[in-house]
Amino acid sequence: AQKVTQAQTEISVVEKEDVTLDCVYETRDTTYYLFWYKQPPSGELVFLIRRNSFDEQNEISGRYSWNFQKSTSSFNFTITASQVVDSAVYFCALVYSSASKIIFGSGTRLSIRP
Amino acid sequence: DTGVSQNPRHKITKRGQNVTFRCDPISEHNRLYWYRQTLGQGPEFLTYFQNEAQLEKSRLLSDRFSAERPKGSFSTLEIQRTEQGDSAMYLCASSLVRGAIQETQYFGPGTRLLVL
């Protein structure tokens, strides 16, 4: 089965706190791609990051960082020093090599309180 | 560099009416995708095109749904005899695929449909 699980439905933190969004995936393919997208209240899905299954290097982009661990089938996303503008729904997603469609998790709604 | 655009942004219709949505992908992208998103859920795949060929359709795409991409550029998604269960956000995405490499899909702002 090909599946993405985001167990955290909602998270609320105070501004400047660090927050980690969890993502666990299932796939039988050895070649696959993982993504994170942000969906602000306006509704548009904004691409954040793409990793392929052969690249387990963690990535940092400003306040954002991603931890990819094949051993636990996880691709977690951390926001450091959160800001109110980070409030949105975040989706983890999977594309396996023999298909083209994205399989999305159910999303985590992140609220950053001032 | 313009992104993916969708029209209309909002549509309210009565049950039984037909509706049509349009998607204009990023100009050099050869693949175009349609997804549907209901409240509180992640987007679900409906169908996709490579150039003008429709290569895959989800079981979610009932007989009342039809999608076209006649010249390999813009695409339309039509829903006939709408039902209240069709109320959702319809998202379009595009990507540039070269060989076997899966490129990133970039999404448009979506069309929010409400069927009364």
Side-chain angles (χ1 to χ4, degrees), chain A residues 11-29:
Chain A
I11 299 175
S12 180
V13 300
V14 176
E15 199 172 19
K16 298 183 185 174
E17 285 186 17
D18 299 347
V19 58
T20 295
L21 281 59
D22 297 333
C23 172
V24 174
Y25 63 91
E26 292 176 39
T27 179
R28 283 188 288 256
D29 282 39

Side-chain angles (χ1 to χ4, degrees), chain A residues 2-102:
Chain A
Q2 321 281 354
K3 188 179 175 183
V4 176
T5 301
Q6 295 180 256
Q8 304 151 307
T9 307
E10 292 192 38
I11 299 175
S12 180
V13 300
V14 176
E15 199 172 19
K16 298 183 185 174
E17 285 186 17
D18 299 347
V19 58
T20 295
L21 281 59
D22 297 333
C23 172
V24 174
Y25 63 91
E26 292 176 39
T27 179
R28 283 188 288 256
D29 282 39
T30 54
T31 301
Y32 52 89
Y33 302 82
L34 296 167
F35 300 82
W36 277 93
Y37 284 87
K38 173 182 180 179
Q39 189 173 44
S42 60
E44 184 165 353
L45 278 165
V46 178
F47 165 73
L48 295 178
I49 189 170
R50 170 178 178 262
R51 305 298 287 175
N52 71 54
S53 51
F54 299 110
D55 182 2
E56 279 194 80
Q57 278 196 340
N58 293 327
E59 180 150 341
I60 298 174
S61 175
R63 297 183 297 108
Y64 295 172
S65 62
W66 291 269
N67 183 293
F68 177 24
Q69 293 198 342
K70 287 178 76 169
S71 60
T72 55
S73 297
S74 65
F75 186 43
N76 297 338
F77 172 31
T78 297
I79 301 175
T80 303
S82 59
Q83 299 176 3
V84 173
V85 293
D86 296 326
S87 296
V89 180
Y90 290 85
F91 291 97
C92 181
L94 165 73
V95 174
Y96 50 99
S97 63
S98 54
S100 299
K101 61 189 176 187
I102 298 178

Side-chain angles (χ1 to χ4, degrees), chain B residues 53-84:
Chain B
Q54 189 172 18
L55 296 187
E56 187 177 347
K57 293 196 292 187
S58 160
R59 281 174 286 185
L60 291 175
L61 214 64
S62 75
D63 292 345
R64 297 184 297 104
F65 288 69
S66 63
E68 292 183 345
R69 194 183 184 199
K71 297 181 181 178
S73 56
F74 73 91
S75 175
T76 58
L77 176 68
E78 181 183 16
I79 309 174
Q80 295 183 325
R81 305 181 304 281
T82 52
E83 301 173 356
Q84 287 181 327

